[in-house]
Structure formats: C-alpha cells, structure tokens
Amino acid sequence: MDPSIVREIHQIVPENRVFLDLQERYSYSYDASFGEYLPDIVIQPQSALEISKLVKLANQHRIPVYPRGSATSLSGGSLPVHGGMVLDMSQLKQKCIIDRENLLAIVSPGVTTAEIHRKAEEAGLFYPPDPSSSHISTIGGNLLENSSGPKGLKYGTTKEYVIGLEVVTPTGEIVRTGGKTVKNVTGYDLTRLIVGSEGTLAIVTEAILRLIPKPPARKTMYATFAEFVTSGVAITNILSQGILPAAMEMLDQQCIRAVENFKPIGLPTDAEAMVIIEVDGHPLAVDEEIERCAQVCKEAGATSVHIARDEQERDKIWQARKNVSPALAQVGPTKISEDATVPRNQIPAMMNRLREIREKYQLNLFVFGHAGDGNLHPTIITDKQNKEEMKRVEDAVSEIFEAAISLGGTLSGEHGIGIMKSPYMEMELGEEGLRLMKLIKDAWDPNHILNPGKIFPQPGQTKVVLTDE
Ligand SMILES: Cc1cc2nc3c(=O)[nH]c(=O)nc-3n(C[C@H](O)[C@H](O)[C@H](O)COP(=O)(O)OP(=O)(O)OC[C@H]3O[C@@H](n4cnc5c(N)ncnc54)[C@H](O)[C@@H]3O)c2cc1C
C-alpha cells in the first residue's frame, strides 16, 4: 500500500492496531469457506468514529473495505477479494448491556452470540437465534448474514430480533436506524435492509436486540427411520397437528455413519434418516407435546423413538447433531457446505435430487439440516488439490442450486451469497430483481468500496469456480 496512505491511516488509528506484515495479513486472508485472498492492510478500529474516518479515507483513495467478524462465514463473506483494507471488528469495545425493563440487549458487533445467550439467560431472558457457530461467531457477522440455526423454525432468524442499529455508511457517515421501540414504522425500514446485506451496505457499530422471556421447560427426542421419505411424513404430520417444535433437525444415513465413525454414541447406522425434535414452553404443554411428537413418528413408521429423560440424555442427543461438522471434517480436507432451502413439503423431493446428484458425480455428499424449515445443508467433502474431482464438484453444486430453485426454494437459507453463490443470483431473482438490488447498492455505495466482489455476479460469471484454472 502507498506509504502516504499508510501515514494517513496512522493518523486515525495507532500503529499497534494496523498490520502490514505479510504474516499478519495472511491470517486475514481466509475464512471458513475455502477461498484465499490477501488484504493490503489490516486495521483494528476501536470506535465508530475511527471507522467513519477510515471509510472516508477509503472513498478518497478508492480502497476496498472489508469488515470482518470471526471469519466463520461459509460463503466467503469477509474475504478481501480485491485486496484493500480489512477492518477487524474484534477490538471494538465489548459492550453487552441487558435492559430488563425493555427486554433488550445493546451490543457491540464483536461480541460473540454465545455471550449474548449467556447474559440474557442470567437475566431470565432469551435471545433465540442460535447458529451452530455461536460460541465463536460475532453478533456483527450474525446480523450481516441474517444467521439462524435449529431454532429458526419456531423463533425466526436474526432479523426478527434487531430493532435498532448504529452504522457507518459506505460514504463514512455515522447513522442510527430504528431504536428501542418494538414498533416503529417511521419511513423505510433501513434496519431490515442492512441486516442480511452481507457487509455491502453498512458497517454495524452497535445493535439493539429484542429479547423474550426464557421458556421455562423443554423436552427433546429423536426418531430414526428406515426410509427417508417416512421421516418427511413425520415432520409434516407433527406440524399439521398444531405443534410448533423449537427445533427439528435431520441427519441422513451418510451423516449418521460419519458421526458413529467419529465418536460412537450408538446410533443405528442402517437408518436412512434421523430426526431430532425439541419442544419448549410451559412444563405441562411440553410433556404432552413431546409425547404426541413421539406418537406421530411411530405412526409414520419410525424404527426407533427415544425421549430424553434428563438433561444428560438431552445433551447426548444434541451431541449427535453437533458432531456432524467435526465428523465430516475427518472425511476429507475440503468441505463445501451449502444451505439450499426448499419449502418444507419439498424436502423428500430435494433429498431424491441430492441422491441423484451424489450418484451422477460420484461424490462424498452428506445431507443434514434444519428439516422443520426446509433449510438443508448438502455438504460435499473433497480435496481442492484434486482438480478433476473439483470440476465434478462445481457441476454438482450448480445442480444443487438448480434443484432448490426449481422446487420453489432458495440459494441460501442462512449462510449468505458471498462469493460462492453470486453467479446464481439471477437464476433466483430474475433480471429485474437483480437490477433493483444493484440500484440499492449503487445509491448507498457510489464508489463501490464496501465489501466489493460479493453478492452480485461479476461480468460474464455464470457458474461458481472452485478451482484456480
Ligand atoms: C462450524 C460452523 C457452523 C456454522 N453454523 C451456522 C448455523 O447454524 N447457522 C448460520 O446461519 N450460519 C452458520 N455458520 C456460518 C457463520 O458462522 C455465520 O455466517 C456467522 O454469522 C458469521 O459470523 P462471523 O463473526 O464469523 O462473521 P464473518 O464471517 O467475519 O463475516 C460475515 C459477513 O458479515 C460481514 N460483517 C461482519 N461484521 C460486520 C460488521 N460489524 N459490519 C458490517 N459487516 C460485517 C462480513 O463482511 C461478512 O460479509 C457456521 C459456520 C461454521 C464454521
């Protein structure tokens, strides 16, 4: 980077929070996807004012700016694809204030989601969005990806819990949106526009989150099925009986086997599917609802049903789900996690399509996910050094997206578009839908300096390219 620009940066942020060495920059060149791009400079701002000044400077010199939380994005969200400036948000003041009277949390973006869960629970309250990465991912990353997880079925996504933001705009202005009231219809809802914008419209420096009372009781069970399609019937029947579980998670046979190879907990490896169900609420309702869920699973043809008798057994059931990611990481060096999402009643059809894709391309394709809301995680385990296999992976990934959209679904339920899915945006949104989104980006970020290279397909880009060739 031009030394005169570096001198200007040092006038905003002291040298001990500015990194130019290759080794230091290298550790900011990747995230939990598998792209690798080296930034020109890494800066750890500590206030909205510092960020504002840096963004104004970036506009002046047309330097790309990449906000970064914990870099657990699976879609390449924070990767500095055009070099430039990475803003590591971890050094912003760690604020997490619980306002019990208003049922709110006021947080800075670098706080982990698990910390918000912990602080809310200490106050007898509950912050429902719970990505599996919550112990490491930041609330800033969650806000910008509109993350969710198993509890999305009953409680919705991050978006439903954000009522106010403080942000630095792409031109460097510090702006507040929304506020502390749950109801607010003053003008356009900029808060919701920013949430889920993947760091392309604003840099979040503070958020006001809505909390709810903590459900007093919960019960958990699992059921296994000899045929995948019957697990789908059980899920649909539970929901159509008026029960809304807090979570309904699914593992396919490949995942069950991988989990048993990784850390055996006695799951039946001949089952085609396993469904984990959790209900929460009033203790009496919870007891009745879990019994009904078990009954519905049996009637649908479950080969085994088990209701956890205590917290220890509950933890063991959830362990099966939590072990999926580490178990798959043992299978091969490169993990490509998709989150194609379909309407709930299309899950069996999507599973059939995924099975065909696995056979056609002869790949290690595993499927697990949030069955209650149709948010599946088809995950391919491969080796990015194997160019021939990566070509097959590219084709398989394209077919997965096509399958989800043709079944009335979407490219991404929670991981975002980033660089991994941008070539397919037009397939889902249509030409006009994509044009409207670009108009918003152009209006907010006239110099295209904030997280450039994300969401929108690059000219001529029609397909995800996973290899260097
Ligand atoms: C093992 C594992 C499990 C996961 N499970 C889930 C899951 O269950 N559900 C789910 O939804 N996701 C999941 N993810 C994906 C990931 O954890 C989420 O997308 C998470 O919200 C990213 O948070 P982060 O702090 O790591 O953000 P980063 O990856 O650093 O950034 C994500 C995006 O947010 C932007 N950004 C970050 N902070 C700011 C800010 N303050 N202002 C503006 N832009 C900002 C970045 O530019 C980037 O575009 C998982 C990932 C892993 C590795």
Side-chain angles (χ1 to χ4, degrees):
M1 174 166 280
D2 187 328
S4 67
I5 299 178
V6 175
R7 278 197 295 278
E8 285 187 73
I9 289 171
H10 283 155
Q11 281 170 9
I12 302 170
V13 175
E15 284 182 34
N16 65 340
R17 289 191 275 117
V18 177
F19 305 103
L20 284 157
D21 286 354
L22 179 63
Q23 299 95 305
E24 286 162 334
R25 287 185 290 128
Y26 182 72
S27 39
Y28 288 86
S29 66
Y30 54 86
D31 66 0
S33 70
F34 57 91
E36 231 181 84
Y37 300 88
L38 197 63
D40 297 318
I41 190 165
V42 176
I43 305 172
Q44 294 180 325
Q46 284 188 342
S47 68
L49 189 61
E50 282 183 356
I51 296 173
S52 157
K53 288 180 182 170
L54 289 168
V55 171
K56 284 184 177 165
L57 184 80
N59 270 280
Q60 212 179 315
H61 299 287
R62 302 289 193 270
I63 304 168
V65 177
Y66 291 96
R68 179 181 173 105
S70 293
T72 63
S73 168
L74 294 166
S75 55
S78 63
L79 292 177
V81 292
H82 296 321
M85 183 191 284
V86 163
L87 296 186
D88 170 0
M89 304 298 283
S90 67
Q91 299 301 308
L92 247 78
K93 199 163 166 283
Q94 296 281 302
K95 186 198 288 181
C96 183
I97 299 166
I98 304 295
D99 173 350
R100 287 184 74 165
E101 284 184 352
N102 289 309
L103 299 184
L104 298 176
I106 297 151
V107 300
S108 54
V111 173
T112 63
T113 322
E115 176 69 0
I116 300 170
H117 289 153
R118 194 180 63 74
K119 285 262 177 72
E121 286 203 18
E122 276 172 11
L125 299 172
F126 182 36
Y127 175 67
D130 61 336
S132 309
S133 54
S134 61
H135 57 292
I136 171 131
S137 65
T138 65
I139 187 66
N142 287 191
L143 287 163
L144 275 299
E145 296 288 0
N146 189 22
S147 301
S148 54
K151 299 213 174 79
L153 169 65
K154 180 169 180 177
Y155 293 104
T157 64
T158 299
K159 197 166 263 207
E160 274 80 48
Y161 296 89
V162 192
I163 58 171
L165 293 173
E166 179 195 74
V167 302
V168 176
T169 68
T171 48
E173 307 307 324
I174 300 175
V175 172
R176 281 198 169 268
T177 70
K180 286 190 174 181
T181 58
V182 171
K183 288 185 172 178
N184 179 336
V185 292
T186 308
Y188 294 146
D189 192 344
L190 298 182
T191 308
R192 284 194 168 223
L193 180 59
I194 293 166
V195 176
S197 65
E198 303 191 25
T200 63
L201 294 182
I203 301 175
V204 172
T205 49
E206 187 178 286
I208 303 173
L209 308 175
R210 205 160 61 84
L211 305 174
I212 59 174
K214 189 176 169 217
R218 63 186 177 196
K219 280 271 163 115
T220 308
M221 59 161 281
Y222 77 83
T224 56
F225 298 83
E227 285 170 34
F228 192 86
V229 70
T230 52
S231 70
V233 172
I235 289 164
T236 312
N237 288 353
I238 287 170
L239 293 165
S240 58
Q241 293 218 358
I243 304 172
L244 187 56
M248 278 213 264
E249 294 290 294
M250 183 277 288
L251 276 64
D252 76 350
Q253 188 174 56
Q254 275 66 21
C255 288
I256 298 172
R257 289 179 178 171
V259 166
E260 279 299 305
N261 278 337
F262 176 62
K263 276 188 190 162
I265 49 172
L267 300 177
T269 50
D270 56 344
E272 264 198 15
M274 170 182 181
V275 179
I276 299 172
I277 301 167
E278 183 160 291
V279 293
D280 65 5
H282 189 280
L284 293 178
V286 156
D287 282 343
E288 193 196 315
E289 283 182 356
I290 202 77
E291 290 296 342
R292 276 171 60 202
C293 289
Q295 191 55 36
V296 172
C297 287
K298 283 181 197 156
E299 284 164 12
T303 44
S304 69
V305 174
H306 180 78
I307 300 176
R309 281 164 294 195
D310 49 36
E311 280 294 300
Q312 217 177 344
E313 280 193 10
R314 173 187 181 268
D315 290 348
K316 199 172 157 193
I317 293 176
W318 276 112
Q319 207 55 50
R321 172 66 178 84
K322 286 184 182 143
N323 282 350
V324 172
S325 268
L328 298 192
Q330 305 275 309
V331 178
T334 308
K335 183 164 162 251
I336 295 170
S337 305
E338 294 305 343
D339 69 328
T341 303
V342 292
R344 194 182 297 126
N345 66 353
Q346 297 291 354
I347 290 179
M350 185 65 182
M351 287 301 293
N352 281 336
R353 297 286 289 274
L354 291 170
R355 208 173 301 185
E356 284 161 19
I357 292 169
R358 175 166 45 217
E359 294 308 315
K360 180 173 171 187
Y361 294 103
Q362 292 294 301
L363 292 169
N364 264 330
L365 173 59
F366 300 78
V367 189
F368 60 99
H370 318 304
D373 50 26
N375 184 191
L376 298 176
H377 291 309
T379 301
I380 298 173
I381 303 296
T382 179
D383 179 354
K384 68 176 177 183
Q385 307 302 337
N386 182 341
K387 304 280 184 217
E388 182 278 322
E389 182 159 300
M390 288 306 275
K391 285 278 166 226
R392 280 186 278 131
V393 174
E394 277 172 19
D395 291 339
V397 166
S398 296
E399 280 195 32
I400 291 173
F401 294 144
E402 280 160 20
I405 290 170
S406 70
L407 291 169
T410 177
L411 294 174
S412 176
E414 57 185 23
H415 294 166
I417 300 301
I419 52 171
M420 304 293 292
K421 294 164 211 156
S422 53
Y424 305 94
M425 285 286 273
E426 195 171 326
M427 182 160 75
E428 180 171 338
L429 300 172
E431 200 179 325
E432 188 57 15
L434 190 59
R435 192 183 71 83
L436 287 173
M437 287 197 188
K438 281 185 179 159
L439 282 179
I440 294 173
K441 171 70 177 169
D442 292 344
W444 280 57
D445 186 6
N447 295 323
H448 282 231
I449 60 144
L450 196 53
N451 213 355
K454 308 295 165 63
I455 297 188
F456 300 108
Q458 302 306 299
Q461 196 185 7
T462 55
K463 200 170 143 186
V464 67
V465 178
L466 303 171
T467 49
D468 302 332
E469 287 157 30

